[in-house]
Amino acid sequence: MIRETVEARITAKTVEIFHRGKLVATHQRSFCQHRPTTIADHMPSSHRRYRDWTHERILREATAVGDDTAALVEIILRSRPHPEQGFRSCIGILGLAKRYDPERLDAACARALALGTRSYGSVAAILKNAQGRKTTDKTEQPSLFHENIRGPGYYH
C-alpha cells in the first residue's frame, strides 16, 4: 500500500484512513497545531528502534564523548523541523564510539563543525580518512587555512 492513494474521513474526534473503501487506520485527532502524532505500530521498523531515544539521552551520551560531539549533536537536532528527524544521524555518530576512541570521535566532530557539515556520513568520512586526529603541535594550522587567504586583517 506504499505510494497509493487513500481517502481520509475527518470527524471532530478521529481521523479515519481508507484504502479502496476499506478502513485501514483510525487515529485520535490531535488538536496541537504542528505536532505530529504517531502510533508506534504504524511506524516503519527502521524508525521504531529509535523510539526509546530522547533528546536528553542523545545529548547526555554525546556529552560523555566530548564537548565537540555534544555541540554537533545539538546543531543536528536544532536544524531539523522536528528533533526526532535528526535522531538517526546523531545515534549513528554516537555509534562510531564503538569503533573509535572518544577523543578521536570528538576531534572528528570538531572537524565537522569547522567544515560546517551536519551528518553521520561526514563524521564517518573524517574518521575513515584520519582527518579527525588532534595535533599536538600547536604551530601547525588546520588544512582549511592557506597562505592565500587574506584573513580579517586585510580589510580596513
Side-chain angles (χ1 to χ4, degrees), residues 5 29 60 63 65 67 93 115 117 132:
T5 303
R29 190 165 174 188
R60 185 175 56 249
T63 302
V65 173
D67 292 339
I93 290 168
L115 295 172
T117 61

Side-chain angles (χ1 to χ4, degrees), residues 68 72 75 107-119 121-127 129-132 142-145:
D68 291 314
L72 179 60
I75 288 170
C109 289
R111 176 88 168 149
L113 287 167
L115 295 172
T117 61
R118 298 180 186 152
S119 69
S122 298
V123 176
I126 290 167
L127 287 165
N129 297 322
Q131 295 173 340
S143 62
L144 61 123
F145 295 107

Side-chain angles (χ1 to χ4, degrees), residues 64-131:
V65 173
D67 292 339
D68 291 314
T69 304
L72 179 60
V73 162
E74 183 68 33
I75 288 170
I76 291 170
L77 294 175
R78 283 190 192 172
S79 69
R80 305 286 165 54
H82 302 288
E84 295 80 10
Q85 294 172 339
F87 279 18
R88 192 169 174 184
S89 221
C90 294
I91 293 167
I93 290 168
L94 294 173
L96 291 168
K98 294 175 186 170
R99 288 185 277 163
Y100 301 97
D101 63 84
E103 183 177 298
R104 186 160 173 214
L105 176 56
D106 198 47
C109 289
R111 176 88 168 149
L113 287 167
L115 295 172
T117 61
R118 298 180 186 152
S119 69
Y120 160 82
S122 298
V123 176
I126 290 167
L127 287 165
K128 181 180 176 187
N129 297 322
Q131 295 173 340

Side-chain angles (χ1 to χ4, degrees), residues 20 22 25 30 34 36 44-47 50 52 75 78 80 108 111 114 139 148:
R20 296 185 181 164
K22 180 181 174 191
S30 172
H34 310 293
S45 61
S46 61
H47 291 196
Y50 300 119
D52 294 333
I75 288 170
R78 283 190 192 172
R80 305 286 165 54
R111 176 88 168 149
T139 59
N148 290 339

Side-chain angles (χ1 to χ4, degrees), residues 134-155:
K134 288 187 178 176
T135 60
T136 55
D137 181 12
K138 299 291 182 188
T139 59
E140 184 182 329
Q141 291 186 349
S143 62
L144 61 123
F145 295 107
H146 190 274
E147 66 254 6
N148 290 339
I149 296 176
R150 295 183 181 123
Y154 179 81
Y155 299 98

Side-chain angles (χ1 to χ4, degrees), residues 9-22:
R9 179 169 46 195
I10 303 169
T11 67
K13 294 183 180 182
T14 62
V15 176
E16 299 173 324
I17 309 298
F18 294 88
H19 179 253
R20 296 185 181 164
K22 180 181 174 191

